[in-house]
Amino acid sequence: MSHLPDLVGGFLTTLALVALSAAGAFALGVVVVVLRVGPLRVLRAVGTGYVETFQNIPLLVWLVLFVFGLPEVGVRFPLFTTAVVVISLYEAAYVAEALRSGVNTVAQGQGEAARALGLTFGQTLRHVVVPQAARRVVQPLGNIGIALTMNTSLAAVAGVVELTASANRVNLVEALPIPIFVGAGLCYALLAAGIGGLAGVLERRLAT
Amino acid sequence: MMFDPPGPRGRRRSRIASAVAVVVVLALVLVAVRRFDAAGQLEVAKWRPFLTWPVWRYLLTGLWATVLAAAMIFLLAAVAGLALAFGRMSSFPWPFKAYIEVVRTIPVLLLIYVVLFVLPAYGLDLPLFWKLVLPLAVSHAAQFAEVFRAGVLAVDRGQGEAGASLGLTHAQNMRLVVLPQAVRHVLPSLVSQTVGLLKDTALGYVVSYLELLQSGRVLANFNHLLIQTFLVVGLVYLVVNASLSKLARHLEARGARSAR
Amino acid sequence: MRWTTLSVVVLLAVAGCSGGESAVPGGAPPSAIDRLLAKAPVATAIPAGSAMARIKDRGELLIGGSLDAPLLSQQNPGTGELTGFDADLGKLLAKYIIGEPKTKLVTSTSETREPLLANGTVDVILQTYTITPQRAERVAFAGPYYSSGQAIAVRRGTTGIAKPADLAGRKVIAGANTPAIAAIKAAAPTAEIVEFGSDPECLTALRQGRGEAYVQDQALLIADAAQDGELEVVGEPFTTDPYGIGLKHGDEQFKQFVNDWLREIQKSGLWQDVWRDSIGTVVKGDPPTPPVIGSAQGS
């Protein structure tokens, strides 16, 4: 297989997509969840609107809209950056929902107790809610990470040649669908297993 | 509630903060719209086609194809998912567990490529509808299985034990005691799973199955209004899926009431 | 959420009250295919037991093709009608076999064409199917029925791109899974190819500076340039793509039959009329000389 370097390049692109989008989705998801559980009604509405909008429209539509729409409003990123931004925005909605259900599992009385002690909203979050919720959200976040990895395969629509796209391209030249697609599948499984393992380790750490 | 009902000063501060937030959000939207307009994307001529019936008839036909595919995927994935879930909770769980864990870590797009490229090499060329439905059903079956399993596990163990002590067989116990309660637990996540599945049918463009997104592409190819067409298509997805989610919340609320 | 219900109502109201208006602007003019069909020939003899006899008994010609290939085979979303050079030829072929222009389109892609023919899902493939000796090992090609070529388009005012070799080292836009990709690789191996899913996406990408040039079938580029003043087609096509009608591998009888039909419509001037109504609406001048049947390697 003379096209192995192409596949390796595709895998590295996927790796970069996953790492950057996961970081972006987590950071943005935290912001959105703070808006959603926070005291300002306007911001709660903004957070809810954000989650609803991004969860109800397919990622493919978002990709096309951002790749071809953003330059029309004067924002022009390279294609790779656009893909990272779109996947981050999209998955942030899921991250926010996972975090919110984590926050909701912390008993109401805890928040009230913190308030009785005179803690502010920020202090309550930091000292009372987050430490308890953290362990419960690790597994859901791991699942979102795996889903995100799978979703990076759609970045080909934005002209980014990641693993799936490069497998497709190489297959068109070499016409060896089975080894190429099975190999690509194994790479994804490996990535997913890595994320799952990481989540497991983190969960055990936080349990203590 | 992690915050006190605000006092007079707090109320004033939160009013100011709200106003600032509204202004910032509105300003951002306004700038985007004005730039969009400056780029000529808001010209009446570029939007008028979307006020005509033939265009909507075409898009709604696409939506119908999306719904058909989603319904078939739901049916197959739900049945297979139920079987997988019980398989995984049986005394011989590993083949089911393996299926769920493996399928969960393969992108649907890759599964579609397998149906598209690998199967035809062996003379098996499925109709377009099945080229989309089959890989999605294979993938969502694993996710449905996990939803169902979580539902059964969420039923209090005492319930099953009580059923057993009444002399119910395992099958009776499941059917009469555990499942009815599990269904209520899983309804909301079942609906959000369905929203995800409906969104995934957008992959129909890969196999050129004429669902909503692919219809949008053919339309954009014809009228050369790429951005407008995709905005409209996105809006249709939003309306359909938001209605589904609303149904989910309604069911959730009713479930919570009747459980009391 | 109240706005959801509201938007459904608005949507339906909008859809409902503007029913009478005409179709989508911006597409090709409606084909004058009916006029051509009236004078189109019908085969005098259909041998019993042949592929043609089966099609005639079925009363419908099953064609593998595209819905979104402007000038060649494009569906008008307003009317559902299929127009273009390939689509019109399909209707003429159906009339030749059945006596009526009854066709049914099965959307095919470059990967699925061969299995679709092999397992009998479609009778013929009419889809910019370039005849090559390699493909001829798996498919029987009638024709060539049209000769096309890949050309280069740039934003107006772009300098330094005049011939295929100039693409070297530059970002070049091409449609995913189109013959353009192989053509670029052959002409300028160092060019960086950026792929998008459809012609309007490629055009938008070129306009937004995602690449310096766009390689696509010449007729399509001319059609695009006719609509978009910013687009400029540079030079002549740099490849020759003889398009054939794909048939089941080994069916010499059907191939002979389709070739006879092609010769007949080329001679009677019907081929030229079809060209005028489709590609000729954007390409200036008289119809080209139709390719000689059997002239391509593999046909």
Side-chain angles (χ1 to χ4, degrees):
Chain A
M1 270 239 265
S2 59
H3 289 274
L4 204 59
D6 292 347
L7 289 174
V8 172
F11 181 67
L12 292 179
T13 307
T14 292
L15 214 58
L17 273 176
V18 169
L20 294 173
S21 318
F26 184 73
L28 200 62
V30 169
V31 172
V32 173
V33 80
V34 168
L35 294 185
R36 281 203 85 178
V37 301
L40 286 187
R41 191 187 298 164
V42 178
L43 294 182
R44 278 206 298 273
V46 169
T48 310
Y50 179 91
V51 171
E52 288 278 325
T53 314
F54 276 93
Q55 282 197 337
N56 285 330
I57 297 180
L59 178 58
L60 277 170
V61 176
W62 285 119
L63 279 166
V64 173
L65 278 179
F66 272 74
V67 168
F68 298 108
L70 272 190
E72 300 295 323
V73 296
V75 182
R76 186 172 309 163
F77 297 132
L79 291 171
F80 178 82
T81 316
T82 311
V84 168
V85 168
V86 176
I87 297 172
S88 300
L89 287 169
Y90 183 82
E91 298 290 344
Y94 290 89
V95 171
E97 281 303 87
L99 294 180
R100 193 169 71 106
S101 63
V103 168
N104 285 344
T105 55
V106 177
Q108 250 195 28
Q110 302 254 351
E112 279 159 16
R115 236 166 58 206
L117 288 173
L119 297 186
T120 65
F121 170 67
Q123 287 170 325
T124 312
L125 267 189
R126 203 168 59 238
H127 299 298
V128 180
V129 178
V130 170
Q132 298 187 64
R135 201 173 67 83
R136 295 199 186 107
V137 299
V138 168
Q139 212 55 53
L141 283 182
N143 289 340
I144 293 171
I146 292 172
L148 180 147
T149 310
M150 304 301 114
N151 276 337
T152 59
S153 66
L154 301 183
V157 173
V160 176
V161 188
E162 39 64 66
L163 182 55
T164 305
S166 63
N168 189 16
R169 277 190 180 191
V170 171
N171 176 50
L172 288 181
V173 184
E174 299 228 351
L176 291 168
I178 295 180
I180 293 171
F181 289 121
V182 168
L186 281 177
C187 290
Y188 280 108
L190 213 69
L191 266 177
I195 294 171
L198 203 69
V201 169
L202 215 61
E203 199 177 25
R204 275 192 297 282
R205 277 270 179 87
L206 289 168
T208 54
Chain B
M1 280 290 138
M2 281 173 292
F3 36 84
D4 284 311
R9 182 136 42 103
R11 268 206 296 276
R12 199 170 61 232
R13 258 205 307 242
S14 88
R15 257 202 303 275
I16 293 170
S18 298
V20 169
V22 168
V23 168
V24 167
V25 168
L26 281 184
L28 275 176
V29 170
L30 202 70
V31 167
V33 168
R34 286 195 56 173
R35 289 210 176 169
F36 203 58
D37 190 25
Q41 296 294 352
L42 285 180
E43 280 166 27
V44 179
K46 290 193 174 173
W47 288 94
R48 195 178 293 132
F50 298 98
L51 293 177
T52 63
W53 171 236
V55 164
W56 277 104
R57 187 181 51 204
Y58 192 72
L59 288 178
L60 292 177
T61 310
L63 178 61
W64 177 238
T66 290
V67 170
L68 277 185
M72 182 54 85
I73 296 164
F74 180 87
L75 202 71
L76 294 176
V79 170
L82 206 59
L84 284 168
F86 281 108
R88 191 170 175 177
M89 290 181 290
S90 71
S91 50
F92 193 56
W94 64 265
F96 307 98
K97 194 174 171 204
Y99 177 92
I100 292 167
E101 292 300 327
V102 168
V103 163
R104 226 162 58 94
T105 59
I106 300 175
V108 195
L109 186 57
L110 211 59
L111 288 177
I112 291 180
Y113 280 153
V114 168
V115 174
L116 209 54
F117 300 117
V118 180
L119 297 188
Y122 296 94
L124 181 62
D125 194 59
L126 301 170
L128 283 184
F129 181 75
W130 293 102
K131 274 191 192 138
L132 175 66
V133 167
L134 191 70
L136 281 175
V138 164
S139 158
H140 280 273
Q143 298 174 35
F144 270 94
E146 287 301 89
V147 169
F148 288 133
R149 198 170 69 101
V152 171
L153 292 181
V155 175
D156 191 48
R157 263 192 41 206
Q159 298 275 335
E161 282 162 12
S165 70
L166 286 173
L168 297 181
T169 66
H170 180 68
Q172 281 174 328
N173 207 351
M174 272 288 166
R175 193 162 53 86
L176 299 172
V177 180
V178 178
L179 273 186
Q181 299 186 60
V183 163
R184 204 168 49 219
H185 283 296
V186 302
L187 259 181
S189 34
L190 217 53
V191 177
S192 61
Q193 188 68 41
T194 308
V195 168
L197 171 165
L198 205 133
K199 279 193 295 179
D200 274 357
T201 61
L203 284 165
Y205 88 94
V206 182
V207 301
S208 59
Y209 172 69
L210 212 55
E211 40 65 57
L212 181 54
L213 186 64
Q214 176 65 5
S215 301
R217 283 188 165 225
V218 172
L219 186 65
N221 226 334
F222 189 79
N223 62 19
H224 285 261
L225 301 172
L226 182 70
I227 295 163
Q228 288 77 6
T229 306
F230 269 80
L231 280 173
V232 169
V233 165
L235 197 69
V236 174
Y237 275 112
L238 182 64
V239 168
V240 171
N241 284 332
S243 312
L244 263 176
S245 310
K246 194 188 167 192
L247 182 74
R249 275 194 297 276
H250 179 69
L251 289 174
E252 206 172 359
R254 235 183 46 179
R257 262 206 311 280
S258 64
R260 226 173 274 151
Chain C
M1 283 209 161
R2 213 169 301 126
W3 60 266
T4 317
T5 332
L6 186 72
S7 43
V8 171
V9 171
V10 169
L11 215 130
L12 290 177
V14 163
C17 67
S18 46
E21 279 181 49
S22 68
V24 199
S31 153
I33 182 67
D34 291 338
R35 184 171 45 81
L36 299 185
L37 278 169
K39 58 177 182 181
V42 179
T44 43
I46 301 262
S50 63
M52 300 79 85
R54 278 198 303 280
I55 295 164
K56 189 171 180 161
D57 288 344
R58 193 197 301 132
E60 196 172 51
L61 178 67
L62 301 174
I63 302 175
S66 312
L67 289 173
D68 54 359
L71 301 176
L72 295 170
S73 182
Q74 181 171 38
Q75 190 182 43
N76 179 333
T79 60
E81 201 192 352
L82 205 65
T83 57
F85 191 77
D86 286 1
D88 288 355
L89 280 185
K91 287 176 198 155
L92 293 178
L93 179 59
K95 183 179 177 193
Y96 189 68
I97 299 172
I98 304 164
E100 284 176 274
K102 291 218 167 121
T103 60
K104 188 177 169 207
L105 188 94
V106 177
T107 23
S108 50
T109 61
S110 43
E111 299 82 23
T112 60
R113 294 190 284 213
E114 278 124 42
L116 281 174
L117 280 174
N119 63 22
T121 313
V122 300
D123 302 313
V124 299
I125 297 272
L126 266 164
Q127 192 184 34
T128 60
Y129 206 173
T130 306
I131 304 174
T132 64
Q134 295 94 309
R135 280 182 178 160
E137 286 166 21
R138 283 170 293 164
V139 187
F141 282 110
Y145 66 93
Y146 187 67
S147 185
S148 180
Q150 301 291 322
I152 304 168
V154 295
R155 285 183 302 274
R156 198 166 287 285
T158 305
T159 52
I161 299 178
K163 53 186 188 299
D166 296 338
L167 298 177
R170 293 178 196 263
K171 271 193 180 176
V172 182
I173 297 165
N177 300 334
T178 61
I181 293 164
I184 298 168
K185 280 186 180 150
T190 56
E192 186 192 336
I193 304 174
V194 189
E195 293 177 35
F196 292 100
S198 66
D199 180 50
E201 285 172 35
C202 290
L203 280 177
T204 311
L206 180 69
R207 189 162 52 78
Q208 295 173 347
R210 300 286 189 197
E212 293 168 86
Y214 171 31
V215 174
Q216 176 62 279
D217 187 279
Q218 189 202 22
L220 204 55
L221 286 182
I222 292 174
D224 289 334
Q227 287 199 341
D228 181 356
E230 276 183 67
L231 194 72
E232 189 181 353
V233 184
V234 192
E236 289 300 304
F238 61 97
T239 63
T240 311
D241 302 330
Y243 294 158
I245 299 179
L247 308 168
K248 194 173 198 158
H249 188 236
D251 195 343
E252 280 302 314
Q253 190 188 26
F254 196 12
K255 178 173 164 179
Q256 206 57 51
F257 179 88
V258 175
N259 277 338
D260 287 345
W261 166 73
L262 279 171
R263 284 195 195 94
E264 190 177 335
I265 62 167
Q266 287 184 355
K267 211 164 70 192
S268 70
L270 205 55
W271 186 94
Q272 288 79 355
D273 287 339
V274 172
W275 186 90
R276 276 192 201 94
D277 285 343
S278 50
I279 302 166
T281 57
V282 295
V283 178
K284 301 267 177 312
D286 285 328
T289 314
V292 177
I293 304 303
S295 61
Q297 221 192 340
S299 62

